[in-house]
Amino acid sequence: MSRFWSPLVHTLSPYVPGEQPKIADLVKLNTNESPYGPSPKAVDAIAAAAGEALRLYPDPTSTALRETLAAHHGVAVEQVFVGNGSDEVLAHAFRALLGHESPLLFPDITYSFYPTYCRLFDVAYETVPLAEDLSVRIEDYRRPAGAIIVANPNAPTGVALTRAEIACLLAEHPDKPVVIDEAYVDFGGESAIPLVADHPNLLVVQTMSKSRALAGLRVGYAIGDAALIEGLTRVKDSFNSYPLGRPAQAGAIASIEDEAFFQDSRAKVIAGRLRLVEGLEARCFSAPASSANFVFARHESRPGAELAAELRARGVIVRRFDAPRIGDHLRITVGTDGQIDRLLTALDEILG
Ligand SMILES: *Cc1c(COP(=O)(O)O)cnc(C)c1O
């Protein structure tokens, strides 16, 4: 605390990211990173960009990257926005689109950055409880609202809405901005990007951090109507003209172009998820069906806090949220087969 702080700073409750401990031989299953690493072509492109040209500012509009993303997703370049991780893209969306007199709606159990941004940007919000089975029920969003944001698949549950359900949500709310945060969509969800053409109020946000294993590069993007993108760009150019450095732009382009590597690593994660779920179910855990690169599991009798601590003592880190309804759940990232085995072996020891 300092008397030099602005009044706003006193009111903030910052997002707390999963820890990045520096312990050797750790099985790190707490922040949904990919165990398979980025495309080697992306690594080469980053290295090639990290030369003498770094003395020059990067392209402030990231046009080559936006063209690559536009071609990949079948949209126009004016419909693509890029930022320093999708967290920054989301921050600009909160600023540009989500603050209205009526409250922003999002699920009570979801990405905990949303309420943090609301406080930072003074956006009024209301949370909508998930159903008993932890799914989002779109009929519960029929209430006065200025805007809606939904993570799909949701975090930390992994539960996905279908594209048809998102289309229903959009049909019910044609007059307000709807943001769909698709950080995990590549692991089995259905993207809402095909709905952008018919819905000028829809913004779809994706990231290179999870399915493309580039969390350390910080590249996220949004796709929507050109007028929505212009709103984001106005905020971005009022904040930081150069959110993506040269290595980030080059690495992200190379990653998108390496479709074979992407398909291979996401298939491995999806296969690993099945293995993880079967192993957990055999040990008396239950979890809603996950369309993400993590599983949100709860043991039939043992408290989540105790299990997380016991796993940690055995060098296995998972994420637990000290929040109503989900305090006994563990969010476990899908690791390699070897990491999944280490987790299951540790659980066998703990559960006896
Ligand atoms: C990981 C995550 C993000 C942010 O990812 P970046 O690394 O900032 O691109 C956004 N939304 C959800 C739901 C996430 O889990």
Side-chain angles (χ1 to χ4, degrees), residues 85-88 90 111 114 151 155 181 183-184 207 209-210 218-220:
S86 62
D87 285 337
E88 187 187 76
L90 288 165
Y111 190 37
Y114 303 159
D181 177 356
Y184 300 103
T207 177
S209 296
K210 305 325 189 331
R218 312 306 301 130
V219 183

Side-chain angles (χ1 to χ4, degrees), residues 15 31-32 83-90 110-114 117 151-156 181-184 205-210 214-216 218-221 293-294 331:
Y15 175 76
T31 51
N32 300 340
N84 192 260
S86 62
D87 285 337
E88 187 187 76
V89 175
L90 288 165
T110 190
Y111 190 37
S112 50
F113 231 128
Y114 303 159
Y117 284 141
N152 189 44
N154 196 13
D181 177 356
E182 295 188 344
Y184 300 103
V205 179
Q206 294 197 2
T207 177
M208 306 234 168
S209 296
K210 305 325 189 331
L214 288 170
R218 312 306 301 130
V219 183
Y221 58 95
N293 66 339
F294 56 83
R331 193 196 67 188

Side-chain angles (χ1 to χ4, degrees), residues 5 20 27 30 53-54 56 67 93 111 119 185 188 192 217 233 237 297 302 335 343-344 346 350:
W5 284 5
Q20 298 285 352
V27 177
N30 67 329
L54 285 179
L56 299 171
E67 282 171 352
Y111 190 37
R119 284 183 286 266
V185 75
L217 199 64
T233 305
D237 286 330
R302 299 287 284 271
L343 168 87
L344 296 175
I350 296 162

Side-chain angles (χ1 to χ4, degrees), residues 35 45 73 79 98 103-104 131 142 150 159 211 222 240 275 295 318 329:
H73 289 291
Q79 294 179 287
L98 301 184
L104 169 67
R142 288 177 198 144
V150 174
V159 177
S211 58
N240 178 4
R275 237 175 127 254
V295 172
V318 299
H329 285 76

Side-chain angles (χ1 to χ4, degrees), residues 26-29 33-37 265 268-273 275-276 293 332-344:
L26 198 68
V27 177
K28 194 176 169 306
L29 305 177
E33 289 142 330
S34 167
Y36 297 113
S265 55
K268 283 194 281 203
V269 170
I270 291 168
R273 181 175 68 209
R275 237 175 127 254
L276 174 60
N293 66 339
I332 308 171
T333 304
V334 177
T336 61
D337 285 351
Q339 291 175 317
I340 295 169
D341 288 342
R342 287 254 324 255
L343 168 87
L344 296 175

Side-chain angles (χ1 to χ4, degrees), residues 17-298:
E19 55 179 335
Q20 298 285 352
K22 296 189 178 48
I23 305 171
D25 198 29
L26 198 68
V27 177
K28 194 176 169 306
L29 305 177
N30 67 329
T31 51
N32 300 340
E33 289 142 330
S34 167
Y36 297 113
S39 156
K41 291 177 184 161
V43 176
D44 288 349
I46 291 162
E52 198 266 341
L54 285 179
R55 73 188 181 79
L56 299 171
Y57 281 104
D59 173 8
T61 62
S62 299
T63 296
L65 171 56
R66 288 170 48 243
E67 282 171 352
T68 302
L69 287 165
H72 183 74
H73 289 291
V75 298
V77 67
E78 297 76 24
Q79 294 179 287
V80 182
F81 180 85
V82 297
N84 192 260
S86 62
D87 285 337
E88 187 187 76
V89 175
L90 288 165
H92 291 337
F94 273 72
R95 230 353 181 192
L97 307 175
L98 301 184
H100 297 273
E101 215 156 284
S102 299
L104 169 67
L105 301 183
F106 51 82
D108 63 337
I109 297 167
T110 190
Y111 190 37
S112 50
F113 231 128
Y114 303 159
T116 297
Y117 284 141
C118 286
R119 284 183 286 266
L120 179 62
F121 297 127
D122 199 19
V123 170
Y125 71 97
E126 253 174 41
T127 60
V128 181
L130 293 183
E132 200 58 39
D133 64 359
L134 301 182
S135 63
V136 171
R137 252 193 325 234
I138 57 169
E139 56 270 32
D140 294 345
Y141 289 73
R142 288 177 198 144
R143 59 163 100 173
I148 296 172
I149 181 166
V150 174
N152 189 44
N154 196 13
T157 63
V159 177
L161 292 166
T162 63
R163 185 182 301 133
E165 288 172 298
I166 299 290
C168 286
L169 182 72
L170 289 162
E172 292 186 10
H173 303 276
D175 53 350
K176 55 189 79 110
V178 175
V179 175
I180 307 296
D181 177 356
E182 295 188 344
Y184 300 103
V185 75
D186 293 327
F187 301 108
E190 290 181 330
S191 177
I193 290 173
L195 303 174
V196 162
D198 291 326
H199 298 88
N201 58 330
L202 169 63
L203 187 78
V204 180
V205 179
Q206 294 197 2
T207 177
M208 306 234 168
S209 296
K210 305 325 189 331
S211 58
R212 294 185 179 272
L214 288 170
L217 199 64
R218 312 306 301 130
V219 183
Y221 58 95
I223 292 181
D225 188 75
L228 291 190
I229 299 303
E230 189 191 341
L232 295 179
T233 305
R234 287 175 70 107
V235 171
K236 171 234 169 210
D237 286 330
S238 306
F239 175 74
N240 178 4
S241 305
Y242 304 103
L244 292 190
R246 290 171 176 272
Q249 295 185 33
I253 290 170
S255 171
I256 297 287
E257 287 174 345
D258 196 350
E259 181 70 12
F261 185 91
F262 168 71
Q263 291 298 347
D264 182 62
S265 55
R266 81 161 162 181
K268 283 194 281 203
V269 170
I270 291 168
R273 181 175 68 209
L274 185 61
R275 237 175 127 254
L276 174 60
V277 168
E278 287 173 354
L280 290 169
E281 284 175 350
R283 288 159 182 83
C284 301
F285 283 84
S286 57
S290 171
S291 299
N293 66 339
F294 56 83
V295 172
F296 198 52
R298 166 194 196 150

